[in-house]
């Protein structure tokens, strides 16, 4: 990465930081205002990044210059907004500082009835945590505090650290240490995720080479059919920096967002400082989060967008949603859809919860004009203005989401005749059977994989029970209609691998928290029982929908990451309630057990970071001792020299136009790195096979050389007669006579 590329990469970061200042809530009593500002800033930045790619792609202008101009404009706009926000906050804050209001002159607390949050419908609970702090009897931030910049945040953090108890400091220190070490690994390690080598990163390189987003002939359908939202973000870094050295930072940043938003959700559900720290601790030590935070996978990015939707939806439980939050909900929905459609399984129920709450508030809003008189002389219970506002807000959310994801869906529909892509995609991941027995068997298999442990006898016993039960109800546990591809259940998932590692500790804590939140929410949050139960219902609904819609697969745990992020606040709230329980001055057995689980979770997180695969701190394959090129091939070390051998032979031949022969799950990305032009430009790579009916492959006779991955037999079928074909294991090349 060049020095210029490093400087250009700073522009988006600076813009987001300025946006956080500009997005600080103006209303007094906002819950966790700084974290709310972070949510607003990342949603606006994410939507802008996606739309920049779509607009410049349509103009065939996916170039470094165009992206630099786009981010400079965004930076200027963010700086102007931040400056305006601070000036307004200063004007509002000075009178209060100059003339403090005496206590005797403080306004009386209103006794007028407040709108009832939707959670109260579920359990009759007390006021919702998302209500203004003044309504909860708590002091809210002053206008000056709400608009403070980053210069004052250090003093606030220092004060909070001094006020924290030793246990809270230990929790915060562990979370902070993990995040910082993950940042180090993300910076040191080269992208080496298996799927990234096959389709995530080749997708980015195709866009750079073409200068637009048009589909291309390819043997790997996932390069064009899988939603590209995460790759859009990588494209910005690729063009600004000229390489992939910062690609891991996108998922790392998404992980930080997940931690902040999960802690805010805990606050909204009634959790104090310790509950928030427990939530962040459980999530930060979850091995799947630890490993994906240094990866170019896409699951943490999806989880971050879903979490943003959740926290904004919770804000709507006790107050009418403003236009800015409606835009944020729309952006979160659209960003989830364009990143990973499975995340919509959770966003849908969250929006339903938000809509019910808004309808409830509209019904109890006495300031809104009532509907026309009924024949009996009464009034309709739904105020016309409040109902119209809720319906209009719902439509706005859908419109904004459509603006974000619509262009991609339009291209997919035009190419395949269906917005969800070709039949092979629609049938490979979603469940094809929905009878109750099949759904139950699928759910049990997903749960078995998610809660896997190193205890092999326990794994085998659990699998045997599930298989026997499935056969007893007439369901084949390996049925292709409920099982991805040719995979076979069970599959060990305890090992700290970024694609499949289980989360038994975080999952168990979340399940316990959810059960108590549903059955006895007042034990966890007495004043927020209604909202807590409603949120637990949404999380449970999302998990049940996931098991009814997504086939079991060995790497299915990472597909559940969005649900883990949503569920962990329930674990944090329950743990906090448990730690408050003391008997005779000594902690109860349950409390000691909880502390033991937390210590085990910390150990799991540290071990995942230290020894996790395929990026680790110590041992074979360490980021400190492994070369950049070998790091890329830690999944398949034997391929590293084979790719170099073939690429060197092709380059020495002077070939310019190079044909690709590969199968659906083969690695393509190394060719983009090895065959670059001397000036750093993209190589001229064309596919000699295509699974896109409207995109025919190139004629083998039209290329100067052919590179192959997979089997020699598959490559030989496409090599013109008289060409020389060489093969080593997984990789081969072919050259025409005379080269």
């Amino acid at each position: 990465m060049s020095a210029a590329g490093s400087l250009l990469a700073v522009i988006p970061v600076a813009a987001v930081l300025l946006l956080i200042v500009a997005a600080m809530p103006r209303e007094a009593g906002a819950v966790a205002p700084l974290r709310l500002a972070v949510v607003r800033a990342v949603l606006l930045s994410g939507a802008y990044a996606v739309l920049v790619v779509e607009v410049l792609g349509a103009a065939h202008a996916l170039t470094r210059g165009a992206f630099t101009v786009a981010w400079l404009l965004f930076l200027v706009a963010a700086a102007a907004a931040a400056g305006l926000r601070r000036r307004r906050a200063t004007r509002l804050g000075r009178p209060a500082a100059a003339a403090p209001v005496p206590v005797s002159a403080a306004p009386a607390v209103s006794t007028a009835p407040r709108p009832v949050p939707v959670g109260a419908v579920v359990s009759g609970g007390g006021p919702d945590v998302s209500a203004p702090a003044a309504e909860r009897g708590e002091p809210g931030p002053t206008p000056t505090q709400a608009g403070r910049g980053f210069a004052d945040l250090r003093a606030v953090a220092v004060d909070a650290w001094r006020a924290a108890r030793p246990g809270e400091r230990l929790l915060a220190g562990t979370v902070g240490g993990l995040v910082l070490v993950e940042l180090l690994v993300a910076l040191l390690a080269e992208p080496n995720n298996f799927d990234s080598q096959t389709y995530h990163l080749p997708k980015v390189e195709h866009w750079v080479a073409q200068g637009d987003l048009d589909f291309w002939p390819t043997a790997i359908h996932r390069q064009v059919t899988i939603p590209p939202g995460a790759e859009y973000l990588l494209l910005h870094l690729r063009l600004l920096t000229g390489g992939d050295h910062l690609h891991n930072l996108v998922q790392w940043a998404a992980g930080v967002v997940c931690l902040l938003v999960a802690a805010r959700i805990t606050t909204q559900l009634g959790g104090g400082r310790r509950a928030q720290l427990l939530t962040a601790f459980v999530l930060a030590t979850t091995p799947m989060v630890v490993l994906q935070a240094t990866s170019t996978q896409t699951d943490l990015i999806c989880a971050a967008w879903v979490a943003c939707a959740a926290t904004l939806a919770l804000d709507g439980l006790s107050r009418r949603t403003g236009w800015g939050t409606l835009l944020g909900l729309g952006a979160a929905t659209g960003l989830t859809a364009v990143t990973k459609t499975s995340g919509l399984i959770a966003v849908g129920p969250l929006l339903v919860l938000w809509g019910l709450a808004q309808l409830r508030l509209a019904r109890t809003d006495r300031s809104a004009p009532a509907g026309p008189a009924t024949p009996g002389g009464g009034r309709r219970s739904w105020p016309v203005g409040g109902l119209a506002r809720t319906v209009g807000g719902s439509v706005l959310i859908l419109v904004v989401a459509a603006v974000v994801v619509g262009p991609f869906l339009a291209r997919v529909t035009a190419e395949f005749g269906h917005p969800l892509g070709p039949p092979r995609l629609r049938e490979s991941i979603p469940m094809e059977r929905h009878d109750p027995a099949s759904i139950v068997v699928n759910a049990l298999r997903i749960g078995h994989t998610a809660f896997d442990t190193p205890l092999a006898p326990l794994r085998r016993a659990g699998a045997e029970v599930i298989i026997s039960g499935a056969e007893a109800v007439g369901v084949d546990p390996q049925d292709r209609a409920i099982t991805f591809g040719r995979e076979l259940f069970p599959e060990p998932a305890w090992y700290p691998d970024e694609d499949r590692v289980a989360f038994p500790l975080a999952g168990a804590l979340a399940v316990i928290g959810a059960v108590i939140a549903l059955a006895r929410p007042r034990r966890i949050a007495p004043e927020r029982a209604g909202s807590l139960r409603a949120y637990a219902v949404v999380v449970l609904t999302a998990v049940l929908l996931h098991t009814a819609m997504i086939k079991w697969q060995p790497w299915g745990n990472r597909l559940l990451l969005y649900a883990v992020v949503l569920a962990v606040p329930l674990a944090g709230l329950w743990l906090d309630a448990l730690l408050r329980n003391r008997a005779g001055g000594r902690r109860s057995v349950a409390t000691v057990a909880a502390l033991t689980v937390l210590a085990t979770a910390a150990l799991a997180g540290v071990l995942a970071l230290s020894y996790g695969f395929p990026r680790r701190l110590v041992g074979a394959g360490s980021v400190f001792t492994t070369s950049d090129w070998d790091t890329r091939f830690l999944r398949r070390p034997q391929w590293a020299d084979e790719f170099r051998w073939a690429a060197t032979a092709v380059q020495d031949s002077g070939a310019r136009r190079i044909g690709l022969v590969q199968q659906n799950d083969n690695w393509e990305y190394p060719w983009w790195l090895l065959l670059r032009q001397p000036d750093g430009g993209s190589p001229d790579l064309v596919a000699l096979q295509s699974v896109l009916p409207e995109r025919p492959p190139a004629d083998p006779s039209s290329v100067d050389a052919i590179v192959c991955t997979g089997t020699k037999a598959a490559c030989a079928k496409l090599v013109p007669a008289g060409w020389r074909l060489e093969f080593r294991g997984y990789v081969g090349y072919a050259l025409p006579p005379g080269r």
Side-chain angles (χ1 to χ4, degrees):
M1 181 175 61
S2 64
S6 301
L7 292 176
L8 292 178
V10 173
I11 298 176
V13 177
V16 172
L17 294 177
L18 289 170
L19 270 184
I20 293 174
V21 175
M24 289 292 290
R26 299 179 184 180
E27 65 273 13
V31 176
L34 179 58
R35 279 170 276 173
L36 177 57
V38 171
V39 170
R40 292 172 173 176
V42 297
L43 287 175
L44 178 57
S45 302
Y48 179 78
V50 169
L51 294 177
V52 164
V53 172
E54 291 289 357
V55 171
L56 294 180
H60 305 282
L62 298 181
T63 64
R64 171 184 279 193
F67 274 64
T68 301
V69 170
W71 278 110
L72 286 174
L73 292 175
F74 193 66
L75 178 64
V76 171
L84 180 62
R85 180 72 185 89
R86 287 182 62 83
R87 286 195 296 272
R88 287 180 177 176
T90 301
R91 287 200 302 269
L92 291 173
R94 282 175 179 170
V101 179
V103 175
S104 59
V109 177
S110 173
T111 58
R114 298 193 304 271
V116 181
V118 71
V121 179
V122 179
S123 70
D128 193 281
V129 72
S130 56
E135 295 184 8
R136 307 196 308 267
E138 303 171 5
T142 65
T144 302
Q145 290 172 329
R148 66 156 51 102
F150 294 105
D152 298 327
L153 295 180
R154 180 177 178 274
V156 174
V158 170
D159 291 341
W161 180 263
R162 290 174 177 172
R165 297 176 180 177
E168 294 172 343
R169 293 182 181 180
L170 180 61
L171 292 172
T174 302
V175 173
L178 286 172
V179 170
L180 290 177
V181 178
E182 289 163 5
L183 174 61
L184 177 64
V185 175
L187 289 171
L188 291 178
E190 303 298 316
N192 61 1
N193 172 261
F194 194 103
D195 285 348
S196 296
Q197 307 284 359
T198 300
Y199 68 96
H200 290 310
L201 301 185
K203 187 184 302 186
V204 174
E205 295 300 325
H206 276 286
W207 293 332
V208 173
Q210 296 177 173
D212 57 40
L213 300 174
D214 290 345
F215 292 160
W216 53 89
T218 178
I220 304 173
H221 77 88
R222 291 175 294 172
Q223 291 183 358
V224 296
T225 57
I226 299 293
E231 292 87 346
Y232 281 175
L233 303 181
L234 295 178
L235 177 61
H236 286 266
L237 287 178
R238 169 66 177 85
L239 287 172
L240 292 176
T241 66
D244 62 7
H245 303 291
L246 299 182
H247 280 7
N248 292 331
L249 293 185
V250 175
Q251 280 258 114
W252 177 83
V256 172
V257 171
C258 287
L259 292 175
L260 294 175
V261 178
R264 184 173 192 265
I265 291 173
T266 305
T267 308
Q268 292 172 290
L269 297 176
R273 181 172 59 198
R274 184 173 61 185
Q276 297 172 54
L277 288 172
L278 286 168
T279 295
F281 178 86
V282 173
L283 186 59
T285 56
T286 300
M288 179 66 77
V289 174
V290 171
L291 294 170
Q292 287 229 3
T294 62
S295 171
T296 47
Q297 263 293 7
T298 62
D299 304 286
L300 265 182
I301 300 172
C302 174
W305 300 137
V306 173
C308 288
T311 194
L312 294 180
L314 286 176
D315 277 340
L317 295 191
S318 64
R319 64 171 62 184
R320 299 308 304 275
T321 300
W323 296 112
T325 301
L326 290 173
L327 294 174
L329 283 170
T333 303
L335 289 168
T336 301
V338 81
T339 301
K340 213 174 190 72
T341 51
S342 58
L344 295 177
I345 295 173
V347 173
L350 287 167
L351 292 180
V352 170
L353 175 65
W354 169 86
L356 291 174
Q358 293 296 293
L359 288 174
R360 176 73 178 182
L361 293 172
R363 189 173 185 177
T364 58
D365 186 0
R366 298 185 177 183
S367 64
T374 62
R379 292 279 180 178
R380 293 181 181 176
S381 59
W382 293 101
V384 176
L387 183 59
R389 178 178 174 181
T390 301
V391 174
S394 302
V395 172
L396 179 60
I397 291 172
L398 296 178
V399 169
V400 173
V403 169
V404 175
V405 72
F408 168 70
L409 294 181
R411 289 193 300 275
V412 172
T413 303
E415 188 74 28
F416 301 104
H418 195 287
L420 298 181
R424 65 184 302 174
L425 178 63
R426 301 197 304 270
E427 296 169 1
S428 61
I429 297 177
M431 287 273 286
E432 298 177 78
R433 290 181 56 178
H434 296 91
D435 56 285
S438 296
I439 292 175
V440 170
V441 171
N442 193 56
L444 291 175
R445 294 184 305 165
I446 290 176
H448 180 274
T449 304
F451 288 87
D452 191 23
T453 69
L455 303 176
L458 180 62
R459 181 190 314 117
R460 288 194 297 267
E464 290 173 0
V465 170
I466 293 173
I467 292 173
S468 299
E471 293 172 347
V473 297
V475 176
D476 180 1
Q478 315 299 349
D479 186 355
R480 297 304 102 189
I482 62 174
T483 304
F484 181 87
R486 301 178 181 273
E487 305 301 326
L488 296 176
F489 172 83
E491 182 74 21
W494 65 269
Y495 184 79
D497 183 294
E498 65 174 354
D499 286 335
R500 63 180 65 197
V501 63
F503 34 83
L505 294 178
L509 292 174
V511 168
I512 295 172
V515 169
I516 296 179
L518 289 170
R520 305 187 67 179
R522 292 183 182 276
R523 290 187 58 183
I524 298 178
E527 296 182 354
R528 318 291 186 250
S531 296
L532 179 60
R533 177 176 284 172
Y535 182 77
V537 168
V538 168
V539 173
L540 178 61
T541 300
V543 173
L544 293 177
L545 287 175
H546 184 100
T547 59
M549 298 173 67
I550 306 296
K551 294 178 179 178
W552 175 87
Q553 47 195 286
W555 44 88
N557 288 341
R558 64 182 181 82
L559 302 183
L560 274 170
L561 193 53
Y562 72 89
V564 174
V565 173
L566 290 184
V568 163
L570 301 175
L573 289 164
W574 171 70
L575 286 170
D576 180 60
L578 189 62
L579 293 174
R580 292 197 303 265
N581 180 26
R582 296 171 181 269
R586 295 182 301 174
R587 296 188 185 277
S588 65
V589 174
T591 303
V592 173
L595 292 175
T596 303
V597 170
L598 289 176
T600 306
L603 179 62
V606 171
L607 289 176
L609 187 57
S610 301
Y611 295 97
F613 197 72
R615 293 166 302 280
R616 55 177 48 170
L617 290 174
V618 297
S622 167
V623 295
F624 297 113
T625 60
T626 308
S627 69
D628 294 348
W629 185 251
D630 289 334
T631 298
R632 296 180 185 274
F633 287 86
L634 284 175
R635 286 284 186 190
R636 299 291 187 272
Q638 68 274 19
W639 295 351
D641 291 337
E642 294 176 6
F643 269 98
R644 270 185 166 167
W645 161 76
T648 300
V650 170
Q651 287 178 320
D652 291 344
S653 72
R656 295 296 182 184
R657 181 176 167 88
I658 303 166
L660 288 173
V661 178
Q662 54 197 1
Q663 288 77 57
N664 183 58
D665 204 33
N666 289 11
W667 286 20
E668 179 182 313
Y669 186 59
W671 299 126
W672 291 96
L673 298 174
L674 290 167
L675 298 175
R676 281 191 180 180
Q677 302 293 338
D679 61 357
S682 299
D684 186 7
L685 295 177
V686 295
L688 302 185
Q689 309 137 291
S690 179
V691 294
L692 279 66
E694 303 300 323
R695 309 278 174 172
D699 187 334
S701 63
S702 68
V703 300
D704 303 323
I706 296 174
V707 291
C708 310
T709 51
T711 65
K712 183 175 182 179
C715 184
K717 293 179 181 179
L718 292 170
V719 174
W723 284 40
R724 176 169 55 93
L725 174 61
E726 301 286 345
F727 227 89
R728 283 189 185 177
Y730 178 76
V731 178
Y733 69 90
L735 296 173
R739 286 187 179 270

